[in-house]
Amino acid sequence: MTTAERKPEAPPKRPRRERKESGFVAVRTALTAWLSRPLASFHLVLALTGVLTVIGIVMVLSASSVASYNPKTGSGVYSLFVKHLVFVALGSVVFWLGLRVKLERIRRMSATATVICLGLLVLVLTPLGSTVNGSQGWFKLGEFTFQPVEAAKVALAFWGAHILVIKYNVIHQWRHLLVPVVPIALLMFALVMLQPDLGGTVTLAVVLLALLWFAGAPKRLFGVILAGGLAGVLVLALIAPYRLARVMSFLSPDADVSAEGFQANQAKLALADGGFLGKGLGQGTSNWGYLPNVQNDFIFALIGEELGLIGCVVVLVLFGGVAVVGLRIATRNIDPWIRIVSGTLTVFLVAQAGINIGYVVGLLPVTGVTLPLISYGGTSLVITMLIMGVLANAARHEPEAVAALRTQGPGKFGRLLRLPAPDPYRPPATRKGAGRAAAKAARPAPRAARPAPAQERRRSVREPGRRSAARTSTATSRGAAARTTASRGTRSTANRRGHR
């Protein structure tokens, strides 16, 4: 065989480890490039909201079929599921409103919304309110209910951020930092505890702490607030027998598995039955009455039973994504109000999910907090979708997103949802008229007001007497000319009178 007939040698194969590393680098590069796009945060909020809502629809259908069936009232197996779909549709409209309404207008309406929420928290304690599960915190509107404390959390976040931004220059003073945000928040706490609703009070406290944290309050303040909060929770637990029973069942869950510890133990059994892959959708036994309120507060236990550990990890990853994207929006915005609101709402949602998952797995005492976007619908679902809409709106106000939307057009989602182009952030003037004063100071001075040249200044210093004498003679000549003009005017007037 000649040299020309020889086959070319194949290139040496790369080791498997190098191929894996190169593939990881390519994936990381592609992900970094996608996240650097102007509207990446906006698209992530839309995706997370859609996926969590779909998971909630599927799990509510699986959890509520048995609880919905009631031959006495004529309700079928899909009655609760249909109500949930109605709440999802209403929440979608609210999501669109939170995405479309200008954030500046939401900020202006925050004070009015806070006053309305305080009024509703007072009215719900009157005979107009209804008692559900031992708490008088609902308004009944036919077959639907409304819980004002859910709206009060969002109103406190909007209004508190507005006040803290206004007082940014004096926020280092305690009286400006605490007043009036903390007194209004404490008033909300008192009204919610009169219902009584410990879960609502805890989430309101999370909103207050997040507001102060993102506003830059000193760290020692949080130590004082946390110490006072723990003391308050201890007092509230001791004065109410049912709260004390919950705390004791949390400390010793195996003491009485048929009373206060029934739900907590059944939730852990459901998680254990699910294993790694779960039993499959609709195959769980918790929804057959073994775990009360499984479609509301304990739906994460049903996820673990039917979807297994994989389903639980997926839900945790999704809420972790909400935390990362929300804080990303807060850090990438330059408007201080948007930064505080985005951070506060993100911490509130993730903390609520953490509290719910924590007491389902036995790490926290049961407080009755729903899992955002997944638990059975109601006021919590609608308000959560409003929060996600506001976060998506804040994502469109990132400086790079504003520049892209105003130069390249609204994009596919913007045209589909009829979203207006966001306005760029313009920082307010430090004081009224400061901009005009600065512009006036920057203009060149009139010629008469300009200082004399250097030669004239030196000449005036050397010959002060001559220049003063010249000025005196000039003034004297001007005065004489004025007197001559006046005398001429008097003579002409006299002559005219004589002719008459």
Side-chain angles (χ1 to χ4, degrees), residues 135-152:
S135 175
Q136 188 175 347
W138 280 263
F139 290 109
K140 279 193 174 182
L141 305 173
E143 296 183 358
F144 299 95
T145 58
F146 171 72
Q147 195 174 9
V149 66
E150 299 294 335

Side-chain angles (χ1 to χ4, degrees), residues 52 55 203 250 263-264 267-268 271 291 296-304 308-322 348-375:
L52 286 171
I55 292 176
T203 49
F250 168 71
Q263 280 183 305
K268 287 183 282 187
L271 292 171
L291 182 56
N296 293 324
D297 303 338
F298 287 87
I299 198 167
F300 187 76
L302 186 64
I303 293 174
L309 179 63
I310 295 179
C312 294
V313 171
V314 169
V315 172
L316 292 175
V317 169
L318 290 174
F319 280 109
V322 172
F348 161 65
L349 284 182
V350 176
Q352 183 172 338
I355 293 172
N356 179 274
I357 296 173
Y359 69 69
V360 169
V361 300
L363 297 178
L364 294 173
V366 178
T367 54
V369 176
T370 58
L371 189 60
L373 295 176
I374 296 181
S375 294

Side-chain angles (χ1 to χ4, degrees), residues 183-483:
I184 295 299
L186 293 178
L187 178 59
M188 287 185 177
F189 295 169
L191 293 175
V192 175
M193 284 307 303
L194 290 176
Q195 296 178 5
D197 184 5
L198 182 60
T201 308
V202 171
T203 49
L204 272 173
V206 171
V207 172
L208 176 62
L209 291 175
L211 277 173
L212 297 176
W213 175 267
F214 287 104
K219 295 181 180 179
R220 61 180 180 273
L221 175 63
F222 296 97
V224 175
I225 292 177
L226 290 176
L230 291 176
V233 169
L234 181 61
V235 171
L236 292 174
L238 293 177
I239 62 176
Y242 75 96
R243 295 196 198 103
L244 182 60
R246 284 185 180 181
V247 174
M248 296 306 297
S249 66
F250 168 71
L251 297 176
S252 55
D254 298 330
D256 190 3
V257 296
S258 61
E260 293 296 333
F262 179 75
Q263 280 183 305
N265 283 278
Q266 289 297 114
K268 287 183 282 187
L269 289 175
L271 292 171
D273 291 341
F276 187 76
L277 297 176
K279 296 181 177 180
L281 288 173
Q283 304 299 319
T285 58
S286 299
N287 51 2
W288 288 89
Y290 294 101
L291 182 56
N293 293 327
V294 64
Q295 72 273 9
N296 293 324
D297 303 338
F298 287 87
I299 198 167
F300 187 76
L302 186 64
I303 293 174
E305 184 179 10
E306 296 187 350
L307 302 180
L309 179 63
I310 295 179
C312 294
V313 171
V314 169
V315 172
L316 292 175
V317 169
L318 290 174
F319 280 109
V322 172
V324 172
V325 175
L327 295 179
R328 169 190 166 96
I329 295 170
T331 55
R332 290 169 68 92
N333 268 284
I334 58 176
D335 189 337
W337 184 81
I338 298 179
R339 291 168 66 94
I340 296 177
V341 167
S342 301
T344 301
L345 295 180
T346 301
V347 170
F348 161 65
L349 284 182
V350 176
Q352 183 172 338
I355 293 172
N356 179 274
I357 296 173
Y359 69 69
V360 169
V361 300
L363 297 178
L364 294 173
V366 178
T367 54
V369 176
T370 58
L371 189 60
L373 295 176
I374 296 181
S375 294
Y376 172 73
T379 311
S380 177
L381 176 63
V382 175
I383 295 299
T384 303
M385 296 193 77
L386 171 64
I387 292 174
M388 298 303 289
V390 173
L391 286 178
N393 197 346
R396 298 179 77 246
H397 281 75
E398 296 177 2
E400 295 180 358
V402 172
L405 291 171
R406 296 185 72 88
T407 57
Q408 302 175 10
K412 296 180 180 179
F413 288 102
R415 285 191 294 269
L416 179 64
L417 300 175
R418 297 181 179 274
L419 302 179
D423 297 327
Y425 172 66
R426 294 182 177 86
T430 54
R431 60 184 179 85
K432 189 174 181 180
R436 287 179 293 179
K440 185 177 180 181
R443 296 173 185 171
R447 185 176 297 273
R450 295 179 186 176
Q455 295 179 357
E456 295 185 5
R457 289 198 299 269
R458 286 195 297 269
R459 191 180 301 169
S460 64
V461 173
R462 293 175 184 175
E463 303 173 344
R466 185 180 299 176
R467 295 184 66 85
S468 60
R471 286 195 295 268
T472 304
S473 62
T474 303
T476 304
S477 61
R478 288 178 180 175
R483 286 194 296 271

